[in-house]
């Protein structure tokens, strides 16, 4: 009888990797719902690169509203600064790496002056690079505006889901 019990216990131990903690399952579900919702909302608004909304939602999704809010403020501030700088600079110079460098440095100084967190500068730099260094089929200011709207949608959906469906 002991051998049969040991065999069953050994069999169950082999299957324990199949079990998923309920909290992790819920986290995966709410992240998936939020990511899909942000993509669909961005598409509904006619955004050409709706995946940026999804990426933003994935960045924002945190365990608490407070943590999500901190990430969201930095991402929104940085994206706004980078989009504004990129829209202005790229309008006057197509794919100019030297001007990109000047703009990136200026954003770093501006972020320090405004006393925003380093992550805001990181997001500003990423947005500046996307707006200035991509091959564009539209004017730079349109690309910058779309980028800001797409990121804003992702942040809003991430915050809404985090607030309405806490972990």
């Amino acid at each position: 009888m002991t051998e049969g019990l040991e065999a069953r216990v050994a069999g169950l131990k082999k299957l324990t990797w199949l079990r998923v903690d309920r909290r992790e399952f819920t986290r995966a579900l709410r992240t998936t719902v939020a990511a899909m919702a942000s993509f669909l909302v961005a598409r509904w608004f006619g955004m050409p690169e709706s995946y940026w909304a999804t990426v933003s939602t994935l960045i924002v999704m945190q365990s608490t509203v407070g943590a999500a809010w901190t990430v969201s403020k930095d991402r929104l501030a940085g994206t706004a600064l980078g989009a504004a700088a990129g829209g202005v600079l790229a309008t006057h110079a197509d794919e100019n790496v030297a001007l990109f460098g000047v703009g990136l440095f200026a954003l770093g100084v501006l972020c320090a002056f405004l006393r925003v967190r380093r992550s805001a500068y990181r997001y500003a730099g990423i947005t500046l690079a996307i707006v200035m260094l991509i091959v564009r089929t539209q004017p730079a200011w349109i690309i910058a505006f779309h980028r800001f709207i797409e990121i804003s949608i992702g942040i809003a959906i991430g915050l809404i889901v985090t607030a309405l469906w806490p972990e």
Side-chain angles (χ1 to χ4, degrees):
M1 178 143 176
T2 306
E3 287 180 15
L5 179 60
E6 287 176 4
R8 283 192 299 225
V9 168
L12 287 175
K13 284 183 180 178
K14 289 179 184 175
L15 295 176
T16 56
W17 64 272
L18 290 174
R19 285 190 271 161
V20 176
D21 182 285
R22 187 175 62 94
R23 290 174 298 183
E24 296 303 322
F25 179 83
T26 302
R27 179 178 292 130
L29 181 61
R30 69 192 272 275
T31 300
T32 301
V33 167
M36 291 174 62
S38 64
F39 181 79
L40 294 172
V41 168
R43 276 284 165 98
W44 184 68
F45 277 106
M47 294 291 100
E49 296 176 330
S50 301
Y51 57 86
W52 284 120
T54 303
V55 170
S56 294
T57 297
L58 293 171
I59 290 170
V60 168
M61 293 299 292
Q62 300 291 323
S63 59
T64 65
V65 175
W69 179 246
T70 300
V71 170
S72 298
K73 288 188 307 186
D74 292 346
R75 185 149 173 86
L76 189 62
T79 300
L81 290 170
V88 169
L89 294 175
T91 296
H92 299 293
D94 280 341
E95 257 187 79
N96 185 322
V97 177
L99 189 58
F100 167 74
V102 169
L104 187 59
F105 178 75
L107 280 173
V109 172
L110 180 61
C111 286
F113 177 75
L114 295 174
R115 290 182 170 54
V116 295
R117 294 164 32 114
R118 283 187 184 170
S119 59
Y121 173 50
R122 179 176 51 243
Y123 294 126
I126 291 168
T127 300
L128 180 69
I130 289 168
V131 173
M132 288 193 73
L133 302 178
I134 64 167
V135 176
R136 294 183 299 276
T137 57
Q138 297 177 307
W141 68 270
I142 291 175
I143 302 295
F145 179 71
H146 285 171
R147 168 87 176 154
F148 179 74
I149 296 300
E150 290 155 357
I151 297 303
S152 298
I153 289 169
I155 289 170
I157 299 293
L159 286 174
I160 290 167
V161 170
T162 301
L164 297 178
W165 189 358
E167 285 198 19

